[in-house]
Amino acid sequence: MKNGMKKTAAIVMAAMLMGTGAVVPAAEDMGIFSQTAIVAEAASVGKVTGLKSKTLSNSEIQLNWSKVKGASGYTVYMRKNGKYNKLGDCKGTSYTVKKLPNATRENFKVRAYKTVKGKKVYGEYSANWNTATNPQACKGLKVSSVGTDSVKLSWTKIGCTNYRIYQNIKGKWKEIGKTTGTSYTVKKLAPSTKYQFKIRACKQDDKKTNNNHYGKYSGVVTATTKKSDKITQADIDAMKKELQEYSNSKADFIRENYTEFDGYGVEYNTLEEFFEMSVNKKTPTNAGYNDEYTIYFDEKDIEGITKSFKEDIDYIYRRTPNTHIVIYIETCSSYWAVYLLN
């Protein structure tokens, strides 16, 4: 009778512990006193907490969690088809899951166990943890088309949430856009300019926390935009530089006598410094000029305009050889205003 009561008490205690998530071996597999000891051990197996992860690649995820005092080891589970299936056991608090599909979100749980009389006694499952593998590297990136101010890129489709587009800007790669498709048009570029681009795939594993996993970068592609049929600011800047160098080369009187002018040895020491000082000082409000020339934004013949200005510069130097002509340009609402200051 007493033995029966002890057996009944042990079974009741085991049932209570099973209700809390602890798992013990079946009652018929042990004696009454052994069963009672195992039930007591099961009650002391703590629940795994702090489950986190680190995505190592497009096929591996490393799980990490906090140590459970007195645990003999841990069992790792992954959900598949609505059920958590055992992946394996480990002694430490880290486990690497391998051979996973790329760009795939997975769900894990871990629980601790003690080994008692050759049997594993489990504690409660940890809270579930979602994470994802990285996408694979993007392939097939190419330049599909080029305009005067745009470049269209395209690539091969792979599994991911979206693609991120990067542009090399002043030696540094900067993300400039994203898309869920397999093409992207980069806009607002300058004509006749070389650009570099690359992409990589992104897998978002949890929309609430915005955790992102990235594949390796694609190869780099280079594209040069087409020359614009209209005059651009870059054309005007190049013209100004060309005309100023032309003016400096024509200023023979200045080149021969610059050391005799006021400011030599104080404001400037070389001919180049004199020219630079002259360019920086002269404006339409403090220098003379014959006319204000207008170049409208929709004009196209920059070469013809440049040639015409050179002829004007020649004329001014013939008429006033002891001057230095400075090219001064202002950008207005619909045109560039050009002054030949002397």
Side-chain angles (χ1 to χ4, degrees):
M1 180 65 178
K2 291 182 180 181
N3 287 341
M5 291 177 63
K6 289 181 179 180
K7 182 175 181 179
T8 301
I11 293 172
V12 171
M13 185 178 295
M16 292 173 64
L17 288 167
M18 289 176 68
T20 66
V23 179
V24 298
E28 60 268 20
D29 292 339
M30 63 200 76
I32 296 171
F33 295 105
S34 296
Q35 179 188 356
T36 304
I38 289 178
V39 168
E41 288 289 346
S44 66
V45 181
K47 178 180 178 179
V48 170
T49 59
L51 179 59
K52 300 292 181 183
S53 67
K54 179 180 180 182
T55 299
L56 302 179
S57 68
N58 64 344
S59 63
E60 296 185 354
I61 292 173
Q62 184 184 78
L63 302 171
N64 298 279
W65 56 88
S66 301
K67 183 178 181 180
V68 175
K69 185 177 180 181
S72 302
Y74 305 88
T75 302
V76 180
Y77 302 83
M78 185 174 75
R79 189 170 64 190
K80 186 176 182 180
N81 298 326
K83 296 181 179 180
Y84 282 93
N85 300 295
K86 178 180 176 180
L87 293 177
D89 296 330
C90 62
K91 298 297 182 181
T93 57
S94 178
Y95 186 92
T96 299
V97 187
K98 301 180 179 181
K99 297 182 179 180
L100 295 169
N102 63 79
T104 304
R105 184 162 56 208
E106 305 291 358
N107 193 299
F108 303 94
K109 284 185 178 181
V110 178
R111 59 176 176 170
Y113 65 83
K114 286 185 179 181
T115 303
V116 182
K117 303 293 184 180
K119 304 290 183 178
K120 288 180 180 177
V121 181
Y122 289 92
E124 291 185 58
Y125 286 100
S126 68
N128 69 298
W129 178 258
N130 290 291
T131 191
T133 52
N134 293 338
Q136 59 182 301
C138 286
K139 299 177 181 179
L141 177 63
K142 64 180 181 180
V143 177
S144 297
S145 62
V146 176
T148 58
D149 61 353
S150 65
V151 171
K152 184 177 181 180
L153 306 171
S154 62
W155 53 88
T156 304
K157 183 178 181 179
I158 61 172
C160 64
T161 306
N162 53 53
Y163 305 89
R164 304 300 174 96
I165 296 84
Y166 298 82
Q167 180 182 334
N168 189 335
I169 301 176
K170 296 181 179 180
K172 294 184 178 180
W173 288 99
K174 181 180 178 181
E175 183 179 324
I176 59 171
K178 64 181 179 180
T179 180
T180 56
T182 55
S183 67
Y184 186 88
T185 300
V186 187
K187 300 179 180 180
K188 297 182 179 180
L189 302 175
S192 303
T193 305
K194 183 184 291 186
Y195 294 94
Q196 287 186 315
F197 305 98
K198 64 182 179 180
I199 64 171
R200 62 175 174 170
C202 171
K203 173 64 178 179
Q204 186 172 297
D205 73 349
D206 190 333
K207 293 182 179 179
K208 292 181 180 179
T209 57
N210 196 33
N211 292 326
N212 294 325
H213 302 282
Y214 295 94
K216 294 181 179 179
Y217 287 103
S218 69
V220 176
V221 295
T222 301
T224 301
T225 50
K226 294 180 179 179
K227 182 179 172 125
S228 175
D229 60 346
K230 296 180 181 180
I231 295 175
T232 66
Q233 184 64 52
D235 293 327
I236 292 296
D237 293 340
M239 182 192 73
K240 179 181 179 180
K241 182 175 183 295
E242 181 180 346
L243 290 179
Q244 191 60 64
E245 291 175 350
Y246 185 77
S247 173
N248 294 349
S249 70
K250 292 294 182 177
D252 294 334
F253 180 84
I254 301 297
R255 299 170 70 86
E256 295 172 2
N257 300 282
Y258 74 94
T259 58
E260 300 175 13
F261 302 152
D262 291 342
Y264 177 71
V266 178
E267 294 182 88
Y268 63 93
N269 294 294
T270 66
L271 177 63
E272 288 71 23
E273 289 178 351
F274 174 86
F275 285 149
E276 183 179 2
M277 181 186 69
S278 181
V279 169
N280 292 335
K281 279 188 174 183
K282 289 182 179 180
T283 69
T285 59
N286 65 17
Y289 58 90
N290 293 334
D291 199 359
E292 174 188 330
Y293 301 86
T294 300
I295 304 175
Y296 286 95
F297 292 163
D298 59 354
E299 293 190 44
K300 302 177 181 180
D301 187 14
I302 188 67
E303 294 180 359
I305 292 173
T306 303
K307 180 181 178 181
S308 177
F309 277 127
K310 287 183 178 180
E311 292 173 353
D312 289 341
I313 290 172
D314 290 339
Y315 173 77
I316 295 172
Y317 275 119
R318 286 196 302 268
R319 190 185 65 181
T320 315
N322 61 340
T323 190
H324 175 233
I325 299 172
V326 170
I327 289 74
Y328 188 95
I329 301 178
E330 290 180 334
T331 302
C332 301
S333 58
S334 60
Y335 63 90
W336 291 279
V338 183
Y339 303 85
L340 304 182
L341 305 179
N342 52 59

